Amino acid sequence: MAKGKWQVFSNRFNGRNVYRVGRLKNSAEPLHGGNVEYYDDENTINVWTDDETDKEQLAERLNRSGL
């Protein structure tokens, strides 16, 4: 079971776009709620945010680190 690359997911809440970093748990399956792992650790609380650039940078760092 190969995991997908970290990427930025977007959603629309109360008329505004928000962003969060996640990846597919199993890249052989389609995207659905049960097949997404969102990034979180004790230093980087990954909540939905307006800052798309920050989340893009986080996804790039995670992919470079090999997590």
Side-chain angles (χ1 to χ4, degrees):
M1 176 172 75
K3 292 187 177 192
K5 289 187 175 191
W6 293 103
Q7 62 187 356
V8 177
F9 288 88
S10 64
N11 211 333
R12 193 148 178 88
F13 293 123
N14 296 325
R16 65 187 180 105
N17 291 330
V18 292
Y19 308 92
R20 189 170 187 185
V21 174
R23 66 180 172 184
L24 293 178
K25 292 179 183 178
N26 182 349
S27 61
E29 291 185 22
L31 174 63
H32 58 79
N35 191 28
V36 177
E37 168 187 12
Y38 290 107
Y39 179 75
D40 251 335
D41 71 15
E42 60 276 353
N43 298 316
T44 307
I45 304 303
N46 185 35
V47 296
W48 292 102
T49 179
D50 293 344
D51 192 347
E52 182 179 16
T53 301
D54 178 60
K55 296 305 178 188
E56 288 172 346
Q57 292 170 352
L58 174 59
E60 288 173 15
R61 285 194 310 271
L62 291 168
N63 287 323
R64 280 194 309 268
S65 75
L67 284 179

